[in-house]
Amino acid sequence: MKISAQEEYGLRCLVQLANLPPGESLTLPQIAEREGISAANAGKLMWLLNKAGFVHSTRGTKGGYFLARPADTVRLNEVIKVLDNDVLNKHCESYTGVLD
């Protein structure tokens, strides 16, 4: 299964947050710089991930993004579903597996 650029960068942003020491966070510009994407693109990804409950954000000079739950409880299929639901649905319609 191929993943889109949006899915890849969203996953990479989550990995950046997962690698942080406890209590640390990253700002949007820091995430964008680390992943080599625009701040606007990083903002869109983080908005989707925040809306889905994968990350939380805090405002202010010490603010930033951090994981909303332990990294080992985040499942790949959950993240892909949030980042590009259309691709996942099309893939599942084409490859029904053993359930049909």
Side-chain angles (χ1 to χ4, degrees), residues 40-51:
N41 194 13
K44 176 184 174 186
L45 294 169
M46 298 312 293
W47 180 81
L48 289 169
L49 294 169
N50 189 13
K51 184 177 171 187

Side-chain angles (χ1 to χ4, degrees), residues 43-68:
K44 176 184 174 186
L45 294 169
M46 298 312 293
W47 180 81
L48 289 169
L49 294 169
N50 189 13
K51 184 177 171 187
F54 291 109
V55 300
H56 287 303
S57 63
T58 56
R59 293 178 173 246
T61 57
K62 300 289 184 186
Y65 289 90
F66 56 95
L67 289 181

Side-chain angles (χ1 to χ4, degrees), residues 1-98:
M1 178 176 169
K2 292 183 179 181
I3 64 171
S4 69
Q6 178 167 300
E7 293 164 333
E8 179 182 347
Y9 283 116
L11 289 167
R12 289 170 51 173
C13 290
L14 285 177
V15 169
Q16 289 288 341
L17 298 177
N19 287 328
L20 293 174
E24 299 266 332
S25 63
L26 290 175
T27 64
L28 200 53
Q30 288 173 321
I31 294 169
E33 182 180 336
R34 286 178 176 211
E35 290 306 322
I37 58 177
S38 69
N41 194 13
K44 176 184 174 186
L45 294 169
M46 298 312 293
W47 180 81
L48 289 169
L49 294 169
N50 189 13
K51 184 177 171 187
F54 291 109
V55 300
H56 287 303
S57 63
T58 56
R59 293 178 173 246
T61 57
K62 300 289 184 186
Y65 289 90
F66 56 95
L67 289 181
R69 60 188 205 213
D72 62 353
T73 66
V74 177
R75 302 287 175 245
L76 181 61
N77 66 334
E78 294 176 307
V79 178
I80 289 177
K81 185 181 280 188
V82 166
L83 294 173
D84 203 355
N85 196 22
D86 291 339
V87 170
L88 184 62
N89 286 338
K90 288 177 188 173
H91 177 78
C92 291
E93 288 172 5
S94 300
Y95 303 98
T96 56
V98 295

